């Protein structure tokens, strides 16, 4: 009889065998070593399971039990820019970087001129350029050993998105990274990777957008993003997860902020089967500020897991975490906010709020805002709410002649809209508003 | 216009309204006064169609020829009934302009009129906001969110001006207002008075009636109208309080 461990070993053997077939392509030795470290870590780390505190409420055994093949380097169909244009931002000045199964596709990307010294493109290309030094310094540097899947991403690291903004440079137009998964005939996994480095006093807006052109083949997008903000740098960041119904998604973003830097993040999970959206910020310099806003729209039998953590390592840091979820059908959402205040992080100012709107009696939410404080002079709050649209509010609408169905629609859109207005990029706000309106608003009030 | 006969309503088995009769004609202003807990707000909510209240089958309320008690809340509004709430609710993420346009268009469609598009509505809202003397910022602010008590009441009156109902029930629109806000709210009400439009002012205090002169005053106590009269009744109540009425009711019992 096989034990749980034996089964895990079998699954792992599958990935190790896939891993051994990665073409070497003249990669520098440090990259090979990084991959080997990832592979070791993967082999020695248990798959995430409900016996682990962080995964207690999120059962991903369906992902663990699937032996995903690596997605093909070049997709079976040749893609034109026209095929990916629907994913482009409604801002013709935006840089549109298209990645297919984790690999950069320059021909179908749109590359307007960027300020001198700014790089936005392929990680693999950067390794062969004078920027190799930057990549080598930072790639894998702030990724903690979060779980077996983040290790697996590093083990399979071959390409990815690389954004570099030199000191005091302001990139005014948004950089939009489209991570497109096109699975093969069997269940396949893509390993999107992002590295963004903003030097001292620089500023940029980056959006990673996870989508798929898969019709019905199951797949896994296993993404890792690393974001490094130098002193006084400012990043507006959005993550949109819009996988297909048969697509699972595990994403981890690691953000390391130096002093007085500002990170304004907006993470939206719009679609996908099981989606885990994790962002881990370390406020590693004095006076650094971060805002983490998460929106998840669940229906059917979907499961989303939003994990935001902020580590306050230094004094005068500020963090704001807000999660908002709308749950319909038999869907389930998990929200875990975690703020850790180190003894050195005096004068920390932190707020956490998670609000959930239940549109169905069968939907469920597990919410757990957490605070761990080891400094004595701090201001930290947290709170959570879960509930259906209040009858008193519905009556107010109805007393103005608005039907209950229309009232629910307006209320639901408004609930999301309130958070959408916090999204840092205009084009993203428009995109999300339109999405929410199409999903929840009755026709007559659009 | 509105004919209330033997209106009895209870909530969770407690009888709050114990048989109310009165009639409101076009153009009239009726004040409903009474001590706390007498059932004033319940009367307003029952007329607007709040489902938390059970209305007795013996009761009848006719509004513009229709059986009001059969209509759900939204259809009462479409028929021309408006309730200004004592405690207006906050609606995050929905702007006043969006809310009011949706409301007005529901009413217009129910009357066979064309919907107003956003541009026409903007003109109309601007005109009403100037008329009601509310700041231009009201349009884009989320409905009542972060509004002060006075701003919420003024917002209710703005909604009244936009919806142009036949009958407006104002539930304590004067409570919690300072004298300047009270003046603005009363001026708004007076501007909206017309021979076709009737008002029911539910109020605890006589103060509002210094500015808006009622045609009739009814005193509600323990779920019944115990006295009706003209505007001089309000002055008498202001002078003598409610105790003498309570004593009279006790004596009669």
């Amino acid at each position: 009889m096989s034990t749980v461990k034996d089964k895990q070993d079998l699954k792992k053997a599958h990935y190790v065998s896939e891993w051994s077939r990665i073409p070497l392509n003249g990669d520098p030795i440090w990259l090979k070593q990084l991959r080997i470290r990832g592979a070791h870590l993967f082999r020695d780390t248990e798959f995430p399971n409900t016996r682990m505190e962080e995964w207690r409420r999120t059962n991903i055994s369906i992902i663990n039990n699937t032996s995903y093949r690596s997605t093909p380097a070049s997709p079976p169909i040749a893609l034109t820019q026209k095929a990916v244009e629907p994913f482009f931002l409604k801002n013709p000045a935006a840089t549109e970087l298209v990645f297919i199964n984790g690999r950069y596709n320059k021909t179908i990307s749109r590359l307007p001129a960027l300020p001198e010294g700014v790089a936005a493109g392929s990680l693999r290309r950067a390794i062969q350029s004078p920027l190799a030094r930057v990549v080598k310094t930072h790639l894998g540097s702030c990724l903690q050993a979060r779980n077996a899947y983040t290790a697996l991403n590093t083990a399979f690291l071959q390409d990815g998105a690389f954004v570099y903004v030199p000191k005091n440079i302001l990139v005014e137009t948004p950089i939009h990274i489209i991570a497109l998964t096109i699975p093969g005939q069997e269940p396949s996994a893509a390993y999107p990777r992002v590295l963004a480095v903003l030097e001292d006093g620089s500023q940029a807006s980056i959006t990673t957008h996870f989508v798929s052109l898969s019709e019905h083949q199951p797949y896994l997008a296993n993404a890792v993003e690393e974001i490094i903000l130098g002193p006084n740098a400012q990043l507006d960041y959005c993550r949109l997860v819009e996988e297909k119904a048969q697509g699972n998604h595990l994403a981890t973003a690691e953000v390391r902020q130096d002093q007085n830097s500002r990170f304004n993040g907006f993470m939206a999970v719009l679609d996908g089967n099981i989606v885990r959206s994790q962002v881990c910020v370390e406020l590693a310099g004095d006076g650094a500020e971060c805002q983490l806003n998460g929106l998840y729209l669940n229906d059917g039998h979907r499961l989303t897991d939003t994990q935001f953590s902020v580590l306050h390592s230094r004094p005068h840091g500020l963090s704001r975490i807000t999660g908002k979820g709308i749950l319909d059908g038999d869907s389930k959402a998990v929200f875990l906010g975690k703020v850790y205040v180190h003894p050195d992080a005096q004068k920390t100012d932190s707020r956490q709020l998670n609000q959930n709107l239940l549109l169905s009696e069968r939907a469920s939410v597990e919410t757990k805002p957490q605070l761990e404080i080891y400094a004595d002079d701090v201001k930290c709050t947290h709170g959570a709410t879960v509930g259906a649209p209040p009858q008193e509010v519905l009556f107010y609408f109805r007393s103005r002649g608005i039907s209950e169905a229309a009232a629910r629609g307006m209320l639901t859109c408004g609930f999301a809209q309130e958070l959408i207005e916090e999204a840092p990029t205009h084009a993203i706000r428009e995109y999300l508003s339109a999405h929410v309106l199409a999903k929840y608003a009755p026709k007559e009030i659009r | 216009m509105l004919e209330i006969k033997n209106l009895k309503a209870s909530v969770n088995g407690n009888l709050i309204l114990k048989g109310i009769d009165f009639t409101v004609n076009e153009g009239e202003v009726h004040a409903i006064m009474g001590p706390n807990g007498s059932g004033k707000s319940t009367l307003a909510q029952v007329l607007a169609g709040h489902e938390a209240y059970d209305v007795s089958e013996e009761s009848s309320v006719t509004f513009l020829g229709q059986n009001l008690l059969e209509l759900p809340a939204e259809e009462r509004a479409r028929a021309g009934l408006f309730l200004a709430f004592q405690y207006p609710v906050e609606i995050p993420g929905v702007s006043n302009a969006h809310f009011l346009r949706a409301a007005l268009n529901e009413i217009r469609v129910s009357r066979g009129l064309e919907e107003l598009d956003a541009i026409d509505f903007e003109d109309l809202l601007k005109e009403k906001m100037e008329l009601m003397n509310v700041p231009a910022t009201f349009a884009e602010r989320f409905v009542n969110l972060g509004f002060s008590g006075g701003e919420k009441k003024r917002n209710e009156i703005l909604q009244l001006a936009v919806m142009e109902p036949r009958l407006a029930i104002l539930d304590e629109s004067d409570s919690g207002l300072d004298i300047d806000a009270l003046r603005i709210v009363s001026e708004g009400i007076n501007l909206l008075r017309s021979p076709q439009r009737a008002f029911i002012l539910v109020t605890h205090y006589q103060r509002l009636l210094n500015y808006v002169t009622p045609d009739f005053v009814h005193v509600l106590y323990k779920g019944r109208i115990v006295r009706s009269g003209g505007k001089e009744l309000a002055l008498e109540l202001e002078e003598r309080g409610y105790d003498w009425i309570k004593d009279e009711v006790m004596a009669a019992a």
Side-chain angles (χ1 to χ4, degrees):
Chain A
M1 213 176 87
S2 68
T3 64
V4 172
K5 181 136 196 324
D6 292 339
K7 275 187 190 163
Q8 283 217 6
D9 287 347
L10 270 174
K11 298 294 169 200
K12 285 190 174 163
H14 157 78
Y15 287 109
V16 171
S17 141
E18 291 269 311
W19 180 77
S20 66
R21 287 196 288 273
I22 294 176
L24 293 174
N25 289 347
D27 288 341
I29 188 83
W30 60 264
L31 180 58
K32 286 179 204 157
Q33 283 168 346
L34 185 63
R35 278 205 295 259
I36 291 168
R37 275 211 305 278
H40 271 284
L41 195 57
F42 168 71
R43 200 188 52 195
D44 302 339
T45 310
E46 224 183 324
F47 278 123
N49 60 67
T50 50
R51 294 182 305 280
M52 299 172 170
E53 179 56 29
E54 201 191 307
W55 295 85
R56 206 157 58 81
R57 299 166 181 83
T58 309
N59 188 340
I60 63 160
S61 53
I62 188 168
I63 298 176
N64 295 339
N65 292 334
T66 306
S67 294
Y68 293 101
R69 305 294 299 266
S70 295
T71 43
S74 47
I77 37 164
L79 283 180
T80 59
Q81 196 178 66
K82 228 178 175 56
V84 292
E85 257 170 17
F87 302 120
F88 284 11
L89 292 180
K90 298 264 176 301
N91 177 351
T95 298
E96 300 284 351
L97 305 175
V98 182
F99 291 80
I100 296 167
N101 295 337
R103 297 157 182 95
Y104 184 51
N105 188 321
K106 191 176 180 183
T107 36
I108 60 174
S109 295
R110 189 172 67 194
L111 306 164
L114 290 172
E116 176 109 37
V118 173
S122 155
L123 200 56
R124 169 165 289 282
R125 286 280 299 266
I127 289 167
Q128 291 142 12
S129 81
L131 285 169
R133 175 188 50 82
V134 177
V135 178
K136 187 181 169 189
T137 307
H138 294 293
L139 192 63
S141 73
C142 73
L143 178 63
Q144 308 291 315
R146 294 287 170 194
N147 59 63
Y149 286 99
T150 54
L152 197 59
N153 178 291
T154 299
F156 280 88
L157 208 171
Q158 292 166 80
D159 194 3
F162 176 61
V163 177
Y164 175 75
V165 187
K167 194 173 169 180
N168 292 333
I169 296 290
L170 161 65
V171 184
E172 289 185 60
T173 52
I175 295 166
H176 189 209
I177 296 163
I178 299 167
L180 187 61
T181 302
I182 304 179
Q185 288 310 309
E186 294 165 273
S188 347
Y191 301 95
R193 183 89 177 198
V194 175
L195 175 66
V197 180
L198 274 72
E199 300 279 18
D200 310 16
S202 67
Q203 197 175 325
S205 161
I206 300 174
T207 294
T208 47
H209 195 167
F210 295 94
V211 290
S212 172
L213 285 179
S214 155
E215 286 305 325
H216 32 71
Q217 303 93 325
Y219 64 92
L220 169 69
N222 173 4
V224 169
E225 298 176 76
E226 291 177 280
I227 294 165
I228 293 106
L229 303 185
N232 214 29
Q234 180 173 336
L235 178 65
D236 289 340
Y237 167 84
C238 298
R239 173 200 285 164
L240 305 182
V241 179
E242 235 177 335
E243 302 290 2
K244 296 284 186 179
Q246 76 283 13
N248 295 320
H249 182 105
L250 303 173
T252 297
E254 302 273 353
V255 184
R256 196 178 59 220
Q257 295 187 237
D258 215 327
Q259 62 183 20
N260 298 317
S261 61
R262 291 175 304 285
F263 177 78
N264 186 0
F266 194 99
M267 283 57 69
V269 179
L270 306 180
D271 229 326
N273 182 35
I274 296 174
V275 177
R276 188 174 202 260
S277 172
Q278 180 177 43
V279 178
C280 309
V281 177
E282 183 183 359
L283 300 179
D286 296 21
E289 299 184 0
C290 75
Q291 188 166 335
L292 305 178
N293 289 310
L295 178 71
Y296 41 97
L297 310 176
N298 298 15
D299 49 24
H301 284 85
R302 296 173 44 216
L303 164 65
T304 64
D305 178 353
T306 304
Q307 306 256 336
F308 293 161
S309 72
V310 178
L311 165 59
H312 284 262
S313 302
R314 299 291 307 159
H316 295 286
L318 179 141
S319 60
R320 296 283 180 266
I321 297 177
T322 308
K324 273 197 163 194
I326 299 172
L327 290 101
D328 207 346
D330 297 276
S331 66
K332 181 181 171 187
V334 176
F335 182 90
L336 201 146
K338 190 170 182 182
V339 171
Y340 181 102
V341 184
H342 189 272
D344 289 345
Q346 297 295 0
K347 304 285 180 191
T348 286
D349 176 352
S350 173
R351 276 189 229 152
Q352 268 191 78
L353 181 64
N354 176 226
Q355 296 177 298
N356 298 281
L357 188 63
L358 296 180
L359 301 182
S360 148
E361 286 176 3
R362 300 183 311 277
S364 68
V365 176
E366 304 262 10
T367 174
K368 194 177 174 193
Q370 279 182 301
L371 280 172
E372 239 180 282
I373 304 172
Y374 298 99
D376 49 21
D377 186 11
V378 301
K379 202 165 63 186
C380 297
T381 64
H382 67 76
T385 63
V386 179
Q391 281 303 325
E392 284 312 306
V393 179
L394 293 175
F395 177 63
Y396 191 72
F397 276 93
R398 293 174 60 209
S399 79
R400 300 298 181 252
I402 299 170
S403 69
E404 180 160 335
R408 282 174 181 276
M410 287 180 76
L411 206 60
T412 307
C413 290
F415 178 82
Q417 189 59 35
E418 200 188 14
L419 190 65
I420 290 171
E421 294 194 1
E422 298 291 315
T425 311
H426 178 76
I428 299 295
R429 286 195 295 275
E430 301 267 291
Y431 185 83
L432 290 172
S433 290
H435 182 93
V436 161
L437 221 52
K439 194 174 171 95
Y440 299 111
K443 263 203 188 72
E444 62 266 30
I445 58 154
R446 274 179 212 165
Chain B
M1 169 183 271
L2 180 76
E3 207 176 338
I4 302 173
K5 281 184 188 159
N6 196 22
L7 181 58
K8 291 182 183 172
S10 53
V11 63
N12 302 327
N14 296 324
L15 194 63
I16 311 278
L17 301 181
K18 297 173 182 166
I20 288 181
D21 299 83
F22 72 99
T23 300
V24 178
N25 295 307
E26 288 188 336
E28 290 177 354
V29 175
H30 289 245
I32 308 278
M33 302 187 69
N36 287 331
S38 58
K40 300 190 300 291
S41 280
T42 299
L43 175 61
Q45 300 257 319
V46 165
L47 291 176
H50 198 296
E51 281 143 10
Y53 301 93
D54 294 318
V55 177
S56 160
E57 288 184 4
E58 304 158 40
S59 310
S60 111
V61 180
T62 314
F63 176 59
L64 295 170
Q66 281 181 284
N67 179 355
L68 192 73
L69 298 175
E70 275 184 353
L71 302 178
E74 57 270 35
E75 284 181 32
R76 297 184 192 198
R78 292 170 196 164
L81 188 141
F82 179 90
L83 171 66
F85 281 57
Q86 182 181 7
Y87 302 109
V89 305
E90 301 182 346
I91 312 174
V94 179
S95 76
N96 248 330
H98 183 196
F99 179 71
L100 275 171
R101 185 159 78 90
L104 183 62
N105 279 337
E106 291 271 9
I107 284 169
R108 288 179 65 91
V109 167
S110 76
R111 294 184 190 157
L113 297 169
E114 251 184 57
E115 289 192 22
L116 288 185
D117 66 19
I119 298 165
D120 284 341
F121 179 75
E122 186 131 325
D123 292 344
L124 179 131
L125 183 60
K126 187 163 175 273
E127 180 201 314
K128 299 291 185 187
M129 290 201 305
E130 280 166 9
L131 184 71
M132 292 295 110
N133 201 8
V134 299
T137 52
F138 267 42
E140 290 314 314
R141 284 172 70 181
F142 294 151
V143 179
N144 295 324
L145 194 72
F147 281 42
S148 69
E151 282 179 325
K152 284 182 182 171
K153 299 291 167 91
R154 288 169 68 183
N155 201 22
E156 293 292 290
I157 305 300
L158 172 65
Q159 293 185 22
L160 166 57
V162 171
M163 314 252 316
E164 300 189 316
R166 297 292 304 280
L167 171 67
I169 303 165
L170 275 57
D171 189 4
E172 306 225 3
S173 294
D174 54 332
S175 55
L177 297 187
D178 62 34
I179 200 73
D180 290 330
L182 179 68
R183 218 174 265 142
I184 294 172
V185 164
S186 327
E187 276 168 19
I189 297 169
N190 283 328
L191 280 167
L192 295 168
R193 286 181 76 161
S194 90
Q196 286 79 42
R197 181 172 299 136
F199 283 85
I200 296 175
L201 308 177
V202 174
T203 177
H204 183 73
Y205 307 103
Q206 189 270 340
R207 208 172 53 151
L208 172 70
L209 307 180
N210 287 337
Y211 299 93
V212 184
T213 314
D215 300 302
F216 300 94
V217 174
H218 310 279
V219 180
L220 194 62
Y221 179 59
K222 288 192 171 169
R224 287 193 175 87
I225 290 179
V226 293
R227 187 171 282 242
S228 295
K231 62 182 179 213
E232 62 291 339
L233 179 56
L235 293 171
E236 195 176 353
L237 288 169
E238 175 73 1
E239 229 163 78
R240 300 174 61 188
Y242 288 110
D243 284 348
W244 63 281
I245 291 208
K246 292 181 189 174
D247 293 344
E248 277 189 16
V249 172
M250 294 282 274

